[in-house]
Structure formats: structure tokens, C-alpha cells
Amino acid sequence: MRKNKVIRILIILTGVFILLYKDAGFYGFGGYIDKFWENILISLIFIIIGVLLIKRNKRVN
């Protein structure tokens, strides 16, 4: 059970790390492409999944 909690916390920390990641974008064929919204979306997905897994575990116990 402790191992599952560590995995859930690591999922949340991965989301926070992606949110704070400073790779802003790149130059493509049409000019500069910003990855700001992509980073926010990916980090929110990780954070929400981690929080939902923790809340589900508390309801089961």
C-alpha cells in the first residue's frame, strides 16, 4: 500500500515538474511555435490523475 502512495505522489510531482519546465517552444515551418499550453495541459492531466488516485484510495479505506 505504501508503494502505491509513493507512485501517486510521483505522478503529481511529475505534473508539477512539467508545469515548471522552461522549454518555451521551437521554430517550425510557420515560425515560432509556443509549447506553453501543451505543458499546462500535460501537467494538469498528471496532477488530476494523481489527486484522483489518492482520493479513491481514501474512500476505499
Side-chain angles (χ1 to χ4, degrees):
M1 172 119 113
R2 175 130 171 95
K3 184 178 177 182
N4 290 337
K5 187 174 183 181
V6 171
I7 291 172
R8 292 175 186 131
I9 291 174
L10 285 176
I11 290 173
I12 293 173
L13 290 176
T14 303
V16 171
F17 176 73
I18 291 172
L19 185 62
L20 299 175
Y21 187 60
K22 298 293 182 189
D23 187 18
F26 58 92
Y27 285 95
F29 291 112
Y32 188 72
I33 300 172
D34 189 21
K35 291 176 32 177
F36 174 72
W37 291 109
E38 178 183 338
N39 287 347
I40 288 179
L41 182 65
I42 292 170
S43 66
L44 284 177
I45 289 171
F46 276 113
I47 291 170
I48 289 171
I49 287 173
V51 169
L52 289 176
L53 287 174
I54 288 174
K55 286 190 180 233
R56 186 186 75 175
N57 189 29
K58 286 183 180 179
R59 260 191 289 151
V60 170
N61 289 335

